Every structure is written in structure tokens, then in C-alpha cells.
Amino acid sequence: MGSISGTNLDRLRGDLRGPVVAPGDPGYDEARSIYNAMIDRRPAALAQCADVADVRATIAFAQDVGVELAVRGGGHSGPGLCLVDDGLTLDLSPMNWVRVDPTAGIAQVGGGAELGALDHAAHTFGLGIPSGIMSTTGVGGLTLGGGHGHLTRKYGLTIDSLTSADVVLADGTFATASETEHPDLFWALRGGGGNFGVVTSFTFRLSEVRDVGVGLTFWPLDRIQEVLRWYREFLPAAPEDLNGFFALLSVPPGPPFPEPIHGQKMCAVVWCYTGDLEEGRLEEVLAVANDPAPPAFHFTAPMPYPALQGMFDEQIPKGLQWYWRGAFFDTISDAAIDVHERYGNALPTESATMHLYPVDGAAHRVGADETAWAYRDAVWSAVIAGIDPDPANADLIRQWCVDYSTDLHPHSMGGSYVNFLGSKEGPERVRSTYRGNYDRLASVKRAYDPENFFHANQNVPPAAG
């Protein structure tokens, strides 16, 4: 690998409209900070690209100098794949723009945009896409991994709304990938991660998303057996207007939660309802929350979709310690419930959590070979997240997460959502994520990045020639 000398750094700065930040520069520590504070890597430089020309120049520079390149969108990568020590980070965050055409029903989104920007721009027209549960998540990383969230049962995965993507390839070529242009690349981008190039803009087909009904239902943790047995049967059979992800958590202090339950370990479902919100309808739909056991807390309210998307931003802000792992499930077995109960009781910190996100409904109406996302038969995508503000607890949250994941694995489908893969899980875990699609991904990788230039990711090496 090469290095970025003072002369080379001056050259890169001269080639870009956006700033290049290096060690010793004001703002360097802020520029290299990402969502997960457990990651403390020191790139030799961060090229904050203002436009496609900057992206092409940064790739050309990295190729010429022989320096390792990582790509940053929203900076939410749990294992910190957007940073490499002594390498170059191509930072897309200045390209945080959204253009909505309400007549055509599409949105063009910059490669560095966050979900909050897209939600805000689309919501004024009563439109949106299925995407994540936090407004600070980067659109790019979420989409390239597949993308699921509150609207998945209704409208599918994020990639199911993607109609095209503009990509700068490893050789500097600019390509638009869609069903008719570079269809093999378009197939791979929909779930294959950042293996194939730098996506400078995405075009999405928008769906109707107006105000939604929101519900928070919390039960004492000692009722988890009844709740999960009910949830596993109820939700897949429920109308697709109703989404609800299951969670294990400690109740946050502050509204809307009453003080007597602050800090208590509980199980919960966070509901999103996209159906009719005429007076009393939301409460009627969510009255089922009483069926498994009496809730300790139950809250319902209509709200703008962007407000739901930003609901958890303050609870888990940038700068906490994170360690996560994921898994897919087609059922929630009794044995899996026992594992959830054991590790729910052992939540190591106030912020540690586990979520089961529904990925059925509309997401099941796309074939497993139609996009790189191979688990179209999964019903839930789980994330186990050890979280805490104190670096002294890093080993504690990491071990809880690893042990939980290890004990849950025999009851899973084997693979994980690629965006929930943790650090150092190894190439076999990446392969298991893509099942029978892996060899095709490797072939597309050979066609578009034969030297594996883009490898600072959950890597799919190019197929042998």
C-alpha cells in the first residue's frame, strides 16, 4: 500500500472542490468521528466530496497513489467500515441533497443524504419510501444493504423502491444502473453492499405515506413468553397496514413513559399503522395489545411519518459505544424465546437492546433471485445491540452481544442482514448472507471491480477469472 505524503495531499486538495481534512487540521477528529464511538480509526485523509467530479478525482488519486480507500455515507456503519487507518476516506456527506418530483412520484437522493432529509422532502407531498427507523441513518448504506423499517410490510424493502443509481466505478467510469442499463450491476447494488462502486445518487419510486398511527406497548419482562408466542402468530397474519417491531429494552427516563417504570427491563412492540386514522380507529386496531398480557404502558397517537422516523434519535445519538450482530428468522421458536428471555434479563446497560424487524408482507412478493437480498422468505430480521456511553463498558456490551448471538444462532435461518454483520465475523458469514446469490455477486464484482479496489466493506471478492 502507498501513503499520502504532503505533496500528494496538496495535489488532492487542488483536485477537489470539497475540503480534504488530514491529521493536524482543525476539525480532523470531528471529520473522522462516526455514529459508533467504539471505532477510533485515523485515516491519513478524508476527502469530503462536493460532487461527482470530486468522487472521480478521489478514486483516481487513491488508485494512482496506491492507498486503501473507504467510502462514507451517513457514518452509521456498526463495524466502522467507512474508515481505514492510514488510508483515505471518500466522504459523501456534503452530497446531502434530495429532489422530489411529486408529479412523477420519484425522488433523486444524493449519495451522502440522511433519511431525515428524504423523509422531510417527500412528506410535504404525502410521499415516502420504506426506510429504516432513525432519521440520522445514511440513505446510501441502508439502501445498498437492502433496507427495512416501519413500512416494509406495506411497501417492501428500500431496494424494492429503487429504480436507478448513478455509480462511479473503480476505473473512474460513470454508470447509471437500472433494469435497462447495466442490469447486472443494478441487481447487485440492491443488497450487495458497497462492493461495486461509489453511488453518487439514487432514484426512488415514492409511495403514499401521510400521517401514520404510532403505538408503543410495553410489558413486564416476566411476560415475554406470552407476548412473543402471541406476537409470532399475530403479526404475520395481520393486515400489511400494520407493522410492529419487537424489542427488549430498559425503559428510558422521561416522557411519554411514567416515572414508576423508568429503568425497568421490559419487552415491547413499536407499532406503525398506515391505514385509516379516523377518530378512534388507531385505538381500535391496537386494542389487540391487551391480548397476550396486560401492558405496563400503552401509548397511541397519529403523527407525521418523519416524526416517527426521528423518535429514537435522542435516545441513541451519535457518540455511544456500539457492538451489534444480526440474524434472520422465519419463525420464533419456543427455544428462541427462552434465549430472548435469558438475555433480556441480562441486559448489560440501560441502552442495550434487541429488535426483531418484520420483513414479510410486500417484501415477500419479490423473488429471492430478483435482487441480491436472498432472504425473501425471512419473516424477521434481528439485531442485537450492546450500547453504552462509557468506553469502560465496551468489553461488557461486546461479550453480551456475542454470547446472545451465539446462543440464538441455532434457532435462526443461518444468515444475517448484511448491515447488521458485526466486525470480524469473517467471510463465511458474508457468504451466508447471500445464500445462492453469492456466486452471481462475485461474478458481477469481477466484471465491475476485478482488482477488488472497493474492499473496505462486507467484502465479496471477485470470482476467479
Side-chain angles (χ1 to χ4, degrees):
M1 284 291 178
S3 61
I4 301 179
S5 65
T7 302
N8 284 332
L9 194 61
D10 289 342
R11 174 184 136 202
L12 180 61
R13 285 176 167 144
D15 288 343
L16 268 60
R17 291 186 65 196
V20 177
V21 185
D25 290 343
Y28 172 74
D29 284 334
E30 175 59 27
R32 71 183 181 92
S33 69
I34 58 174
Y35 189 69
N36 183 4
M38 193 180 286
I39 307 301
D40 185 24
R41 298 194 183 119
R42 301 185 65 86
L46 299 99
Q48 297 178 335
C49 296
D51 52 27
V52 172
D54 280 4
V55 171
R56 296 188 71 203
T58 300
I59 290 174
F61 173 86
Q63 293 270 23
D64 183 54
V65 174
V67 68
E68 190 171 12
L69 184 80
V71 181
R72 171 179 174 160
H76 266 242
S77 169
L81 299 174
C82 47
L83 300 172
V84 284
D85 283 323
D86 302 318
L88 175 62
T89 286
L90 190 161
D91 186 355
L92 294 167
S93 58
M95 298 171 69
N96 186 1
W97 53 264
V98 178
R99 298 189 185 97
V100 173
D101 181 341
T103 303
I106 62 170
Q108 293 179 295
V109 182
E114 295 182 349
L115 289 183
L118 172 56
D119 293 335
H120 172 77
H123 185 72
T124 190
F125 302 107
L127 300 169
I129 66 169
S131 57
I133 66 160
M134 295 189 65
S135 70
T136 56
T137 303
V139 173
L142 179 89
T143 303
L144 294 174
H148 52 58
H150 295 295
L151 303 178
T152 293
R153 300 191 73 236
K154 177 74 171 178
Y155 293 127
L157 304 175
T158 306
I159 52 175
D160 299 336
S161 295
L162 185 68
T163 62
S164 68
D166 290 337
V167 193
V168 180
L169 304 174
D171 63 0
T173 302
F174 179 83
T176 297
S178 68
E179 292 285 4
T180 56
E181 300 178 82
H182 300 283
D184 54 342
L185 177 60
F186 186 57
W187 176 88
L189 291 174
R190 288 176 292 167
N195 277 282
F196 306 97
V198 179
V199 179
T200 56
S201 71
F202 300 83
T203 301
F204 295 101
R205 178 183 61 257
L206 298 171
S207 299
E208 182 178 344
V209 186
R210 301 187 184 275
D211 288 359
V212 296
V214 175
L216 303 173
T217 308
F218 288 57
W219 296 268
L221 195 54
D222 61 11
R223 307 308 294 268
I224 186 174
Q225 293 277 344
E226 299 100 309
V227 172
L228 266 179
R229 285 188 173 92
W230 166 80
Y231 174 78
R232 71 185 179 189
E233 303 298 329
F234 168 76
L235 195 68
E240 292 172 7
D241 275 324
L242 183 62
N243 193 88
F245 75 81
F246 178 87
L248 295 172
L249 75 171
S250 299
V251 179
F257 308 108
E259 189 172 349
I261 66 170
H262 288 178
Q264 290 189 26
K265 296 175 181 178
M266 291 198 174
C267 56
V269 176
V270 178
W271 305 100
C272 174
Y273 178 63
T274 55
D276 188 357
L277 291 178
E278 66 180 15
E279 187 174 354
R281 178 58 180 157
L282 177 61
E283 291 75 11
E284 179 184 338
V285 169
L286 293 183
V288 296
N290 292 289
D291 290 356
F297 175 77
H298 183 64
F299 165 87
T300 62
M303 63 178 64
Y305 179 64
L308 171 60
Q309 288 283 76
M311 181 179 286
F312 305 109
D313 291 356
E314 292 186 7
Q315 297 294 332
I316 40 177
K318 176 182 176 180
L320 303 181
Q321 304 283 307
W322 279 76
Y323 193 87
W324 67 27
R325 289 193 173 182
F328 285 121
F329 297 87
D330 55 5
T331 187
I332 303 171
S333 68
D334 289 351
I337 293 173
D338 290 341
V339 176
H340 290 307
E341 182 175 30
R342 184 162 73 253
Y343 284 93
N345 279 301
L347 285 167
T349 62
E350 290 184 356
S351 299
T353 188
M354 188 285 302
H355 294 173
L356 289 169
Y357 298 109
V359 287
D360 60 331
H364 280 191
R365 292 194 285 277
V366 178
D369 60 353
E370 292 184 49
T371 65
W373 173 289
Y375 279 86
R376 292 289 180 169
D377 53 342
V379 183
W380 287 279
S381 171
V383 62
I384 301 165
I387 312 170
D388 194 67
D390 189 350
N393 287 329
D395 289 341
L396 174 70
I397 60 177
R398 182 187 295 110
Q399 195 61 53
W400 173 81
C401 179
V402 170
D403 291 345
Y404 194 166
S405 175
T406 300
D407 288 353
L408 198 58
H409 181 73
H411 314 294
S412 75
M413 298 175 75
S416 168
Y417 176 36
V418 68
N419 284 351
F420 289 161
L421 287 178
S423 60
K424 301 178 181 177
E425 289 201 58
E428 286 307 310
R429 283 290 282 161
V430 177
R431 179 180 285 272
S432 72
T433 290
Y434 296 112
R435 289 168 141 180
N437 290 339
Y438 184 87
D439 289 344
R440 182 177 174 186
L441 276 171
S443 295
V444 177
K445 177 75 167 178
R446 182 179 65 200
Y448 288 92
D449 185 16
E451 302 300 322
N452 203 14
F453 176 67
F454 296 110
H455 62 267
N457 44 47
Q458 300 293 1
N459 194 234
V460 177

